[in-house]
Amino acid sequence: MSVAQRSFSTGAKIQKTPEQIKAGLEKVQKVKLFNQQSTAPATLSNVVGNGKDLHTPANIAEMAALSGMPADQAKRVVVIAQRQLKALQSGQRLAHQWQITWKHTERWSNPLMGWTSTADPMSNVKLSFETKEAAIAFAERNGWKFEVKAETSKTNTTPGTYLYKHNFLDKRTTAEIQKLGHKSKIFELPTYGESHWFMPLKYHGDGEVIQHGPKSASK
């Protein structure tokens, strides 16, 4: 079975088999995936992919010739490690990410202010990826030598430690929510949505305060 496609230039019909159409659609999807870009991507892997989504040579390190990176920097060893969170009340949204960094070289203490100075152009460069595999694939595609650090625990809080959230939810409430989830009835309010208004009483409590207005009983 074949599908006829009319050519607008000649008016002739070009016969294409379902296999050719399927191959063409797959090629279009690959091009769209490769061209997906954002002005502010969350991670580098969202833009360049994992390095193996398009056709690559047998030796993937050959693609490093197209990177344009200086030879002296390309020979350096990069470190692939899990993203390190700051020792503060940091969120866990990016804790799963992996980063590529370069070992710091040529550092010295500034004699004027005592700050740490460096002549290393890669000292502040961090490339973030969603997975360890994506980071490794990117390093291989660029021909970099790399070291992979062991995965660290995403939870560094010692059990029983007082947290900032306990200013709003006490430990008992937090523990019950973690145990029962949405089945917890600790926040139930049977009278929710009902009016709690009542007629105010006089100072001595011997009668209700006279109401004024178009609906007052005094009129």
Side-chain angles (χ1 to χ4, degrees):
M1 177 181 179
S2 62
V3 179
Q5 180 180 2
R6 183 174 297 277
S7 174
F8 290 99
S9 59
T10 62
K13 293 184 178 180
I14 301 176
Q15 301 293 331
K16 286 191 176 183
T17 63
E19 292 75 13
Q20 291 176 329
I21 295 176
K22 182 179 179 181
L25 293 176
E26 291 178 353
K27 185 177 180 181
V28 171
Q29 292 299 327
K30 288 183 178 181
V31 173
K32 287 183 178 180
L33 180 63
F34 184 74
N35 291 331
Q36 283 180 354
Q37 294 184 358
S38 172
T39 56
T43 59
L44 191 62
S45 60
N46 290 346
V47 176
V48 299
N50 59 11
K52 296 182 179 180
D53 50 351
L54 295 177
H55 174 72
T56 55
N59 182 9
I60 195 172
E62 295 178 359
M63 298 183 65
L66 304 175
S67 67
M69 192 173 189
D72 56 337
Q73 300 296 337
K75 294 179 180 178
R76 296 175 59 180
V77 179
V78 299
V79 178
I80 300 177
Q82 197 171 7
R83 186 187 188 99
Q84 297 296 321
L85 300 179
K86 297 180 179 179
L88 299 172
Q89 301 288 346
S90 300
Q92 301 293 322
R93 187 176 71 90
L94 303 178
H96 67 284
Q97 289 186 348
W98 287 73
Q99 292 183 328
I100 291 181
T101 56
W102 281 257
K103 293 183 177 179
H104 297 163
T105 59
E106 302 181 34
R107 285 182 175 269
W108 65 88
S109 178
N110 191 297
L112 177 62
M113 301 297 293
W115 297 339
T116 301
S117 301
T118 179
D120 183 6
M122 310 302 293
S123 60
N124 295 321
V125 178
K126 294 182 179 180
L127 307 180
S128 299
F129 301 85
E130 292 297 320
T131 62
K132 177 176 65 175
E133 291 73 17
I136 293 176
F138 187 83
E140 291 177 346
R141 189 177 71 173
N142 285 274
W144 299 337
K145 298 178 181 179
F146 57 88
E147 299 176 359
V148 181
K149 298 293 185 180
E151 185 174 0
T152 58
S153 174
K154 298 181 177 62
T155 303
N156 299 322
T157 304
T158 303
T161 304
Y162 186 83
L163 302 177
Y164 180 71
K165 65 181 179 181
H166 292 150
N167 292 333
F168 309 96
L169 295 178
D170 54 56
K171 294 182 179 180
R172 180 184 66 84
T173 303
T174 304
E176 182 174 338
I177 294 175
Q178 291 176 347
K179 181 179 180 180
L180 301 178
H182 66 279
K183 296 182 180 180
S184 175
K185 298 183 179 180
I186 196 168
F187 295 116
E188 277 194 354
L189 184 61
T191 58
Y192 173 76
E194 298 180 4
S195 174
H196 300 282
W197 184 87
F198 62 93
M199 186 70 74
L201 302 178
K202 294 182 178 179
Y203 180 78
H204 297 286
D206 54 353
E208 297 177 346
V209 176
I210 299 176
Q211 300 297 306
H212 302 276
K215 295 184 180 180
S216 62
S218 58
K219 294 184 179 180

